[in-house]
Amino acid sequence: MKNRWTKSGAHQAVSQWGPTCGELLALRLYSAQLLGADSALVLHGGGNVSVKSTITSVLEDNIETLFVKGSGFDLATLSPDGLSGLDLAYLRRLRTLDQLTDEQMVNELRTHLFDAGAPTPSIETLLHAFLPHRYVDHSHADALLTLTNQRDGDAMVRDALGERVAILPYIRPGFELAKAVADCYDANPQVVGIVLLFHGLVTFGEDAETSYDRHIELVDACETFFRTRAAGGSKSRLVGSRREQPNGGKQTEDPAALAARVAPILRGIIAQPTGDEDRPFLRSILEWRAAEELLEFIHSADGKTAAASGPLTCDHLIHTKPRALYVAEPAWSDESALRRQIESAMATYRKDYHAYATTYDTDRLDAAPRVILLPGAGLFCWGPTKRAARITADIAEHTILVKSHANAIGPYTSLPDAELFDMEFRPLQQRKLKHDNHGTLQGQVVVISGGAGAIGSAVAQVCAEQGAYTIVADIGKNRIDQIVQSIEDSCGPGTAHGVLMDVTDEESARRGFEDIVRTCGGVDVLVPNAGVAHVAALADMEVSDFRRVMEINTVGYMLFMREGIRIMKRQELGGNIVINASKNVFGPGKDFGAYSASKAAGHQLGKVAAIELAADHIRVNMINTDAVFGDENMSSGLWATVGPQRAKSRNLSEADLPEYYRRRNLLRARITGRHVGNAVVFFASNATPTTGATLPVDGGVIEAFPR
Ligand code: ZN
């Protein structure tokens, strides 16, 4: 375990934050970030830290203050905004109480903040308050948990760390644990840290560096102990030990191909039924991991045991649930057998989960696993958003590593189910997940062909704003990257993904959808949109131009839909196809035969698809748009091509075209890509039981009224 403290780093932190927050807080933030920088110490909002200082009130009173990390904040990026300042003298008095419920505790914490806008302080705030030291650091270090999560964890920790630490059995985090830790320290004032079995490590000191150094030293001692014990032990079973694998450990097929094949099946089976006919399922987004080490462990004899054992520390439960689902020897060569296998494993999982969560309202219980281990294909983690799925996957990967290490020195052991259930469903913990719930399209995957163009990118942006995971499918990597970046800048990381896809090429479309399925698990909304235009009167039409337009606009729509539909059908979750057709379908104009014919064909394909797919609960609708010119940020490639000639056909200058199109509609509306995006969201949210219909987004053009 590397000690990351440097004089220059500390100095820089003091010059960065010192002037506004003071040196004590600056160094607090510095070592908090050092802890956060090591994923072997804390992961995603895990762990917490504090410093005791004073503040001066508006009445010039100097008040003793505890600055503690806000609940759910990441140590790695902790800034002054992530620290909550509380009335320390008052908090200390709470120690005299015999009991304090979670609700009371949160109320006492929130009503004794010095900044009304501060985040809710960590669940472990009182632990920090009751210890006398200026700095307190708490982590859930992998190496420590390797030792604590054992049948004789107490003895192992004592062997590894000697008398430098006190050891506490598992106690529910919150008021109870805070009192126990303070009592333990009072009884052992010589220790530099306290080990919480099945939970983590607390160290302390009068300055930031001492507390941090002690933390790293103790974790390092755990690592050394583990290495020595594992090397000397008779059953050294580490990740990567091929000897233990059944079937000689032979991997016959590419894990990526297997993942693409199985992901839509998994996604369909784990979707949570809602009982609402219009929105029958809560869907999840996938994060798939298949590093070689991981594949080997999942394939090994320990993989199944690991899936069936509990989490490393209770803080992980809200992301991973207590157990992973393991599907033994998947029938990769027979899809229907594979589906039956997964269905049966899932049914058992749900049954066990209901038995575990006996005291919970079963109607509201989502009993689907968050983590699935599939020998051959890897680790499949699920969440309501991509961000949540990534957090789950990071934790799951560490969990597998620690369990594998723990098994090398003694059987890995976790807390009893009753303790796990208590933490998983604790309102204080569940509240941490709230920020992941937003938007009418949450959990839905929207794929837009031509997603990097003027209309496509606006549709992608609007869908991402509504909570969808948006896939920008297009040709031209740079443009795709730009659009994905701009969506993630405004909607947050993990809201968009780019895929190279030439919709006129079968192989490219197939590969593109495979990439999509591995990235997020499946597809819910298809928006065929990639198109080109060409201006020529029929008498002058070149066959090659006509073919090119038909190839992209008609064959492209067909191929894009075909590949997407195949995935939707395997998911069995229904879905939506929203075809970007054109005002031209009902109201054609001269010199635009190739474009109008191709769009009319795409529109007609949509009607046929509506008939064919209704039984699969896939709705197909069309949007007839008129003249979207793009904006200052994104010009329309289509209008750049046809603008000059369309202007000529109408005896106008090119610059006058947008105004011409605005004036020719009843509402005098300028049509934007965002308007098309809003129409996609309307259909994709199943707001009305509609399929096979056409929605004009054209400001009202009489000759193009649907009929
Ligand atoms: Zn903790």
Short mmCIF file of all heavy atoms in Angstrom, two decimals, residues 250-267 286 288-290 295 298-299 327 329-335 338 342 374-380 382 510 514-515 517-519 521 570:
data_model
loop_
_atom_site.label_atom_id
_atom_site.label_comp_id
_atom_site.label_asym_id
_atom_site.label_seq_id
_atom_site.Cartn_x
_atom_site.Cartn_y
_atom_site.Cartn_z
N LYS A 250 -10.72 -24.38 -20.51
CA LYS A 250 -10.59 -23.94 -21.90
C LYS A 250 -11.68 -22.93 -22.26
O LYS A 250 -12.86 -23.17 -22.04
CB LYS A 250 -10.65 -25.14 -22.84
CG LYS A 250 -9.30 -25.80 -23.03
CD LYS A 250 -9.39 -26.85 -24.11
CE LYS A 250 -8.91 -28.20 -23.67
NZ LYS A 250 -9.62 -28.96 -22.73
N GLN A 251 -11.24 -21.81 -22.78
CA GLN A 251 -12.20 -20.80 -23.23
C GLN A 251 -12.29 -20.97 -24.74
O GLN A 251 -11.33 -20.73 -25.45
CB GLN A 251 -11.68 -19.41 -22.87
CG GLN A 251 -12.57 -18.28 -23.32
CD GLN A 251 -13.67 -17.98 -22.33
OE1 GLN A 251 -13.49 -18.10 -21.13
NE2 GLN A 251 -14.83 -17.61 -22.82
N THR A 252 -13.45 -21.43 -25.22
CA THR A 252 -13.53 -21.74 -26.64
C THR A 252 -14.02 -20.57 -27.46
O THR A 252 -13.65 -20.42 -28.61
CB THR A 252 -14.47 -22.94 -26.86
OG1 THR A 252 -15.65 -22.70 -26.10
CG2 THR A 252 -13.81 -24.23 -26.43
N GLU A 253 -14.88 -19.73 -26.90
CA GLU A 253 -15.43 -18.64 -27.70
C GLU A 253 -15.09 -17.30 -27.09
O GLU A 253 -14.95 -17.16 -25.87
CB GLU A 253 -16.95 -18.80 -27.80
CG GLU A 253 -17.48 -18.23 -29.10
CD GLU A 253 -18.96 -18.56 -29.29
OE1 GLU A 253 -19.45 -19.52 -28.69
OE2 GLU A 253 -19.60 -17.82 -30.04
N ASP A 254 -14.99 -16.29 -27.94
CA ASP A 254 -14.67 -14.94 -27.51
C ASP A 254 -15.71 -14.44 -26.50
O ASP A 254 -16.91 -14.42 -26.80
CB ASP A 254 -14.67 -14.05 -28.76
CG ASP A 254 -14.39 -12.62 -28.43
OD1 ASP A 254 -13.87 -12.36 -27.34
OD2 ASP A 254 -14.70 -11.76 -29.28
N PRO A 255 -15.28 -14.02 -25.29
CA PRO A 255 -16.23 -13.54 -24.29
C PRO A 255 -17.10 -12.39 -24.81
O PRO A 255 -18.27 -12.28 -24.45
CB PRO A 255 -15.33 -13.05 -23.15
CG PRO A 255 -14.04 -13.73 -23.33
CD PRO A 255 -13.90 -14.02 -24.79
N ALA A 256 -16.52 -11.56 -25.69
CA ALA A 256 -17.28 -10.42 -26.21
C ALA A 256 -18.47 -10.90 -27.04
O ALA A 256 -19.56 -10.33 -26.98
CB ALA A 256 -16.37 -9.53 -27.04
N ALA A 257 -18.25 -11.96 -27.82
CA ALA A 257 -19.35 -12.48 -28.64
C ALA A 257 -20.42 -13.10 -27.74
O ALA A 257 -21.62 -12.92 -27.96
CB ALA A 257 -18.81 -13.53 -29.62
N LEU A 258 -19.97 -13.82 -26.70
CA LEU A 258 -20.94 -14.43 -25.78
C LEU A 258 -21.73 -13.36 -25.04
O LEU A 258 -22.95 -13.47 -24.85
CB LEU A 258 -20.21 -15.33 -24.77
CG LEU A 258 -19.43 -16.51 -25.35
CD1 LEU A 258 -18.74 -17.29 -24.24
CD2 LEU A 258 -20.36 -17.42 -26.16
N ALA A 259 -21.03 -12.28 -24.65
CA ALA A 259 -21.70 -11.20 -23.91
C ALA A 259 -22.79 -10.57 -24.78
O ALA A 259 -23.90 -10.31 -24.31
CB ALA A 259 -20.68 -10.15 -23.49
N ALA A 260 -22.47 -10.34 -26.05
CA ALA A 260 -23.46 -9.73 -26.94
C ALA A 260 -24.67 -10.64 -27.12
O ALA A 260 -25.80 -10.19 -27.23
CB ALA A 260 -22.82 -9.43 -28.30
N ARG A 261 -24.42 -11.94 -27.10
CA ARG A 261 -25.51 -12.88 -27.30
C ARG A 261 -26.43 -12.94 -26.06
O ARG A 261 -27.64 -13.01 -26.16
CB ARG A 261 -24.92 -14.28 -27.57
CG ARG A 261 -25.83 -15.14 -28.41
CD ARG A 261 -25.26 -16.52 -28.60
NE ARG A 261 -23.92 -16.53 -29.18
CZ ARG A 261 -23.09 -17.57 -29.08
NH1 ARG A 261 -23.45 -18.66 -28.41
NH2 ARG A 261 -21.91 -17.53 -29.62
N VAL A 262 -25.82 -12.90 -24.89
CA VAL A 262 -26.61 -13.15 -23.68
C VAL A 262 -27.20 -11.87 -23.05
O VAL A 262 -28.21 -11.93 -22.35
CB VAL A 262 -25.76 -13.93 -22.65
CG1 VAL A 262 -24.76 -13.03 -21.94
CG2 VAL A 262 -26.65 -14.65 -21.65
N ALA A 263 -26.58 -10.72 -23.32
CA ALA A 263 -27.00 -9.51 -22.61
C ALA A 263 -28.49 -9.17 -22.76
O ALA A 263 -29.17 -8.89 -21.76
CB ALA A 263 -26.13 -8.33 -23.03
N PRO A 264 -29.06 -9.21 -23.99
CA PRO A 264 -30.49 -8.88 -24.10
C PRO A 264 -31.39 -9.87 -23.35
O PRO A 264 -32.43 -9.49 -22.82
CB PRO A 264 -30.77 -8.94 -25.60
CG PRO A 264 -29.44 -8.87 -26.26
CD PRO A 264 -28.46 -9.47 -25.31
N ILE A 265 -30.96 -11.13 -23.30
CA ILE A 265 -31.76 -12.13 -22.57
C ILE A 265 -31.74 -11.80 -21.08
O ILE A 265 -32.78 -11.76 -20.41
CB ILE A 265 -31.19 -13.55 -22.81
CG1 ILE A 265 -31.22 -13.89 -24.30
CG2 ILE A 265 -31.95 -14.58 -22.00
CD1 ILE A 265 -30.57 -15.23 -24.65
N LEU A 266 -30.56 -11.51 -20.56
CA LEU A 266 -30.43 -11.14 -19.15
C LEU A 266 -31.26 -9.90 -18.85
O LEU A 266 -31.99 -9.83 -17.87
CB LEU A 266 -28.97 -10.85 -18.80
CG LEU A 266 -27.99 -12.01 -18.77
CD1 LEU A 266 -26.58 -11.48 -18.55
CD2 LEU A 266 -28.36 -13.00 -17.67
N ARG A 267 -31.12 -8.90 -19.71
CA ARG A 267 -31.81 -7.62 -19.46
C ARG A 267 -33.32 -7.80 -19.40
O ARG A 267 -34.01 -7.22 -18.57
CB ARG A 267 -31.44 -6.62 -20.56
CG ARG A 267 -31.96 -5.21 -20.28
CD ARG A 267 -31.27 -4.20 -21.18
NE ARG A 267 -31.66 -2.85 -20.83
CZ ARG A 267 -32.53 -2.13 -21.53
NH1 ARG A 267 -33.11 -2.64 -22.59
NH2 ARG A 267 -32.83 -0.90 -21.15
N LEU A 286 -26.65 -1.96 -18.41
CA LEU A 286 -25.58 -2.93 -18.13
C LEU A 286 -24.20 -2.27 -18.08
O LEU A 286 -23.92 -1.34 -18.82
CB LEU A 286 -25.56 -3.98 -19.25
CG LEU A 286 -24.35 -4.92 -19.33
CD1 LEU A 286 -24.35 -5.90 -18.17
CD2 LEU A 286 -24.35 -5.68 -20.66
N TRP A 288 -20.64 -4.26 -18.42
CA TRP A 288 -20.05 -5.60 -18.58
C TRP A 288 -18.55 -5.53 -18.37
O TRP A 288 -17.90 -4.63 -18.89
CB TRP A 288 -20.39 -6.12 -19.97
CG TRP A 288 -19.64 -7.35 -20.39
CD1 TRP A 288 -19.72 -8.59 -19.85
CD2 TRP A 288 -18.69 -7.43 -21.46
NE1 TRP A 288 -18.88 -9.45 -20.52
CE2 TRP A 288 -18.24 -8.77 -21.50
CE3 TRP A 288 -18.18 -6.52 -22.38
CZ2 TRP A 288 -17.30 -9.20 -22.44
CZ3 TRP A 288 -17.24 -6.94 -23.31
CH2 TRP A 288 -16.81 -8.28 -23.34
N ARG A 289 -17.99 -6.45 -17.60
CA ARG A 289 -16.55 -6.48 -17.38
C ARG A 289 -16.03 -7.89 -17.67
O ARG A 289 -16.68 -8.88 -17.28
CB ARG A 289 -16.19 -6.13 -15.93
CG ARG A 289 -16.70 -4.79 -15.45
CD ARG A 289 -15.70 -3.67 -15.68
NE ARG A 289 -16.28 -2.36 -15.51
CZ ARG A 289 -16.18 -1.62 -14.40
NH1 ARG A 289 -15.52 -2.08 -13.36
NH2 ARG A 289 -16.71 -0.43 -14.36
N ALA A 290 -14.89 -7.98 -18.31
CA ALA A 290 -14.36 -9.31 -18.65
C ALA A 290 -12.84 -9.30 -18.73
O ALA A 290 -12.26 -9.84 -19.65
CB ALA A 290 -14.96 -9.79 -19.96
N LEU A 295 -12.39 -13.34 -15.64
CA LEU A 295 -12.94 -14.49 -16.35
C LEU A 295 -12.44 -15.79 -15.73
O LEU A 295 -13.19 -16.74 -15.53
CB LEU A 295 -12.54 -14.44 -17.82
CG LEU A 295 -13.32 -13.46 -18.69
CD1 LEU A 295 -12.63 -13.29 -20.04
CD2 LEU A 295 -14.75 -13.94 -18.89
N ILE A 298 -14.16 -16.37 -12.34
CA ILE A 298 -15.57 -16.76 -12.50
C ILE A 298 -15.66 -18.21 -12.96
O ILE A 298 -16.54 -18.96 -12.55
CB ILE A 298 -16.28 -15.80 -13.48
CG1 ILE A 298 -16.37 -14.40 -12.86
CG2 ILE A 298 -17.68 -16.30 -13.84
CD1 ILE A 298 -16.85 -13.33 -13.81
N HIS A 299 -14.71 -18.58 -13.81
CA HIS A 299 -14.67 -19.94 -14.34
C HIS A 299 -14.20 -20.96 -13.30
O HIS A 299 -14.47 -22.14 -13.41
CB HIS A 299 -13.71 -19.97 -15.54
CG HIS A 299 -14.13 -20.92 -16.60
ND1 HIS A 299 -14.79 -20.52 -17.73
CD2 HIS A 299 -14.01 -22.25 -16.69
CE1 HIS A 299 -15.04 -21.57 -18.46
NE2 HIS A 299 -14.58 -22.64 -17.87
N VAL A 327 -24.62 -18.40 -12.92
CA VAL A 327 -25.24 -19.39 -13.80
C VAL A 327 -24.16 -20.41 -14.17
O VAL A 327 -23.23 -20.09 -14.92
CB VAL A 327 -25.82 -18.73 -15.08
CG1 VAL A 327 -26.49 -19.76 -15.96
CG2 VAL A 327 -26.80 -17.62 -14.71
N GLU A 329 -22.18 -23.39 -15.84
CA GLU A 329 -22.07 -24.01 -17.17
C GLU A 329 -23.15 -23.58 -18.15
O GLU A 329 -24.00 -24.37 -18.55
CB GLU A 329 -22.06 -25.53 -17.01
CG GLU A 329 -20.86 -25.99 -16.20
CD GLU A 329 -20.80 -27.50 -16.05
OE1 GLU A 329 -21.19 -28.21 -16.99
OE2 GLU A 329 -20.37 -27.96 -14.98
N PRO A 330 -23.13 -22.32 -18.54
CA PRO A 330 -24.16 -21.82 -19.47
C PRO A 330 -24.14 -22.59 -20.80
O PRO A 330 -23.08 -22.93 -21.31
CB PRO A 330 -23.74 -20.36 -19.71
CG PRO A 330 -22.79 -20.03 -18.62
CD PRO A 330 -22.14 -21.30 -18.21
N ALA A 331 -25.34 -22.84 -21.32
CA ALA A 331 -25.47 -23.59 -22.59
C ALA A 331 -25.28 -22.64 -23.76
O ALA A 331 -26.23 -22.28 -24.44
CB ALA A 331 -26.84 -24.26 -22.65
N TRP A 332 -24.02 -22.26 -24.00
CA TRP A 332 -23.75 -21.23 -25.01
C TRP A 332 -24.19 -21.62 -26.41
O TRP A 332 -24.49 -20.78 -27.24
CB TRP A 332 -22.26 -20.87 -25.01
CG TRP A 332 -21.82 -20.14 -23.78
CD1 TRP A 332 -20.89 -20.56 -22.88
CD2 TRP A 332 -22.31 -18.89 -23.29
NE1 TRP A 332 -20.76 -19.64 -21.86
CE2 TRP A 332 -21.61 -18.60 -22.09
CE3 TRP A 332 -23.26 -17.97 -23.73
CZ2 TRP A 332 -21.84 -17.45 -21.34
CZ3 TRP A 332 -23.48 -16.82 -22.99
CH2 TRP A 332 -22.78 -16.57 -21.81
N SER A 333 -24.22 -22.91 -26.68
CA SER A 333 -24.48 -23.31 -28.07
C SER A 333 -25.98 -23.42 -28.36
O SER A 333 -26.37 -23.65 -29.50
CB SER A 333 -23.79 -24.63 -28.36
OG SER A 333 -24.18 -25.57 -27.37
N ASP A 334 -26.83 -23.26 -27.38
CA ASP A 334 -28.26 -23.46 -27.59
C ASP A 334 -29.02 -22.34 -26.89
O ASP A 334 -29.21 -22.36 -25.68
CB ASP A 334 -28.65 -24.83 -27.02
CG ASP A 334 -30.15 -25.12 -27.14
OD1 ASP A 334 -30.92 -24.17 -27.44
OD2 ASP A 334 -30.54 -26.27 -26.91
N GLU A 335 -29.48 -21.35 -27.69
CA GLU A 335 -30.05 -20.15 -27.07
C GLU A 335 -31.28 -20.43 -26.20
O GLU A 335 -31.43 -19.85 -25.13
CB GLU A 335 -30.38 -19.09 -28.12
CG GLU A 335 -31.01 -17.89 -27.44
CD GLU A 335 -30.96 -16.60 -28.24
OE1 GLU A 335 -30.03 -16.42 -29.04
OE2 GLU A 335 -31.85 -15.77 -28.04
N LEU A 338 -30.17 -21.91 -23.02
CA LEU A 338 -29.51 -20.88 -22.23
C LEU A 338 -30.55 -20.00 -21.53
O LEU A 338 -30.45 -19.70 -20.34
CB LEU A 338 -28.63 -20.02 -23.14
CG LEU A 338 -27.87 -18.87 -22.50
CD1 LEU A 338 -26.83 -19.37 -21.52
CD2 LEU A 338 -27.18 -18.00 -23.57
N ILE A 342 -31.10 -19.49 -17.48
CA ILE A 342 -31.05 -18.20 -16.80
C ILE A 342 -32.37 -17.94 -16.09
O ILE A 342 -32.39 -17.47 -14.94
CB ILE A 342 -30.73 -17.06 -17.81
CG1 ILE A 342 -29.33 -17.26 -18.38
CG2 ILE A 342 -30.83 -15.70 -17.14
CD1 ILE A 342 -28.99 -16.37 -19.55
N LEU A 374 -21.25 -15.02 -15.23
CA LEU A 374 -21.48 -16.03 -16.26
C LEU A 374 -20.15 -16.59 -16.73
O LEU A 374 -19.40 -15.91 -17.44
CB LEU A 374 -22.19 -15.40 -17.46
CG LEU A 374 -23.70 -15.25 -17.38
CD1 LEU A 374 -24.21 -14.54 -18.62
CD2 LEU A 374 -24.36 -16.60 -17.26
N PRO A 375 -19.84 -17.83 -16.35
CA PRO A 375 -18.58 -18.42 -16.80
C PRO A 375 -18.48 -18.33 -18.33
O PRO A 375 -19.44 -18.63 -19.03
CB PRO A 375 -18.70 -19.88 -16.35
CG PRO A 375 -19.66 -19.85 -15.20
CD PRO A 375 -20.62 -18.73 -15.50
N GLY A 376 -17.35 -17.87 -18.80
CA GLY A 376 -17.14 -17.74 -20.24
C GLY A 376 -17.35 -16.32 -20.74
O GLY A 376 -16.67 -15.86 -21.63
N ALA A 377 -18.32 -15.61 -20.13
CA ALA A 377 -18.66 -14.29 -20.65
C ALA A 377 -18.30 -13.16 -19.70
O ALA A 377 -18.16 -12.02 -20.13
CB ALA A 377 -20.15 -14.22 -20.99
N GLY A 378 -18.18 -13.42 -18.40
CA GLY A 378 -17.72 -12.37 -17.50
C GLY A 378 -18.74 -11.90 -16.48
O GLY A 378 -19.66 -12.64 -16.10
N LEU A 379 -18.57 -10.64 -16.09
CA LEU A 379 -19.32 -10.04 -14.99
C LEU A 379 -20.33 -9.06 -15.57
O LEU A 379 -19.95 -8.14 -16.30
CB LEU A 379 -18.32 -9.31 -14.09
CG LEU A 379 -18.79 -8.58 -12.87
CD1 LEU A 379 -19.34 -9.55 -11.84
CD2 LEU A 379 -17.62 -7.79 -12.27
N PHE A 380 -21.61 -9.24 -15.25
CA PHE A 380 -22.67 -8.37 -15.77
C PHE A 380 -23.30 -7.63 -14.59
O PHE A 380 -23.91 -8.25 -13.73
CB PHE A 380 -23.73 -9.20 -16.50
CG PHE A 380 -23.21 -9.87 -17.74
CD1 PHE A 380 -22.38 -10.99 -17.64
CD2 PHE A 380 -23.52 -9.38 -19.00
CE1 PHE A 380 -21.88 -11.60 -18.77
CE2 PHE A 380 -23.03 -9.99 -20.15
CZ PHE A 380 -22.21 -11.11 -20.03
N TRP A 382 -25.76 -4.36 -13.19
CA TRP A 382 -26.93 -3.62 -13.65
C TRP A 382 -27.30 -2.51 -12.69
O TRP A 382 -27.15 -2.64 -11.48
CB TRP A 382 -28.13 -4.58 -13.77
CG TRP A 382 -27.85 -5.75 -14.66
CD1 TRP A 382 -27.28 -6.93 -14.29
CD2 TRP A 382 -28.08 -5.83 -16.07
NE1 TRP A 382 -27.15 -7.75 -15.38
CE2 TRP A 382 -27.63 -7.11 -16.49
CE3 TRP A 382 -28.61 -4.95 -17.01
CZ2 TRP A 382 -27.72 -7.53 -17.82
CZ3 TRP A 382 -28.70 -5.37 -18.33
CH2 TRP A 382 -28.25 -6.65 -18.72
N ARG A 510 -24.71 -4.87 -37.91
CA ARG A 510 -24.72 -5.98 -36.95
C ARG A 510 -23.68 -5.75 -35.85
O ARG A 510 -23.97 -5.85 -34.66
CB ARG A 510 -24.44 -7.29 -37.68
CG ARG A 510 -24.74 -8.55 -36.86
CD ARG A 510 -24.30 -9.81 -37.60
NE ARG A 510 -22.87 -9.81 -37.89
CZ ARG A 510 -21.91 -10.04 -36.98
NH1 ARG A 510 -22.24 -10.28 -35.73
NH2 ARG A 510 -20.64 -10.02 -37.33
N GLU A 514 -24.08 -5.07 -31.80
CA GLU A 514 -23.36 -5.90 -30.82
C GLU A 514 -22.64 -5.04 -29.80
O GLU A 514 -22.66 -5.31 -28.60
CB GLU A 514 -22.33 -6.79 -31.54
CG GLU A 514 -22.90 -8.11 -31.98
CD GLU A 514 -21.80 -9.09 -32.37
OE1 GLU A 514 -20.61 -8.86 -32.06
OE2 GLU A 514 -22.15 -10.08 -33.00
N ASP A 515 -22.02 -3.99 -30.31
CA ASP A 515 -21.32 -3.04 -29.43
C ASP A 515 -22.32 -2.42 -28.45
O ASP A 515 -22.07 -2.33 -27.24
CB ASP A 515 -20.64 -1.98 -30.31
CG ASP A 515 -19.97 -0.88 -29.51
OD1 ASP A 515 -20.01 -0.94 -28.26
OD2 ASP A 515 -19.40 0.05 -30.12
N VAL A 517 -25.17 -3.58 -27.37
CA VAL A 517 -25.68 -4.57 -26.42
C VAL A 517 -24.64 -4.86 -25.32
O VAL A 517 -24.97 -5.00 -24.16
CB VAL A 517 -26.07 -5.83 -27.20
CG1 VAL A 517 -26.08 -7.05 -26.32
CG2 VAL A 517 -27.42 -5.63 -27.85
N ARG A 518 -23.36 -4.90 -25.71
CA ARG A 518 -22.32 -5.11 -24.70
C ARG A 518 -22.15 -3.89 -23.81
O ARG A 518 -21.77 -4.00 -22.66
CB ARG A 518 -20.97 -5.38 -25.40
CG ARG A 518 -20.73 -6.81 -25.75
CD ARG A 518 -19.29 -7.02 -26.16
NE ARG A 518 -18.94 -6.27 -27.35
CZ ARG A 518 -19.05 -6.76 -28.59
NH1 ARG A 518 -19.46 -7.99 -28.78
NH2 ARG A 518 -18.72 -6.02 -29.62
N THR A 519 -22.45 -2.73 -24.36
CA THR A 519 -22.26 -1.50 -23.61
C THR A 519 -23.37 -1.26 -22.61
O THR A 519 -23.14 -0.78 -21.51
CB THR A 519 -22.17 -0.29 -24.57
OG1 THR A 519 -21.14 -0.56 -25.50
CG2 THR A 519 -21.89 0.99 -23.83
N GLY A 521 -26.60 -3.43 -22.61
CA GLY A 521 -27.48 -4.57 -22.36
C GLY A 521 -28.55 -4.79 -23.41
O GLY A 521 -28.97 -5.92 -23.63
N ARG A 570 -35.54 -10.45 -28.51
CA ARG A 570 -34.87 -11.34 -27.56
C ARG A 570 -34.98 -10.82 -26.13
O ARG A 570 -34.91 -11.58 -25.19
CB ARG A 570 -33.42 -11.56 -27.99
CG ARG A 570 -33.38 -12.36 -29.30
CD ARG A 570 -32.00 -12.43 -29.90
NE ARG A 570 -31.10 -13.13 -29.04
CZ ARG A 570 -29.92 -12.66 -28.66
NH1 ARG A 570 -29.50 -11.49 -29.07
NH2 ARG A 570 -29.16 -13.36 -27.85
#
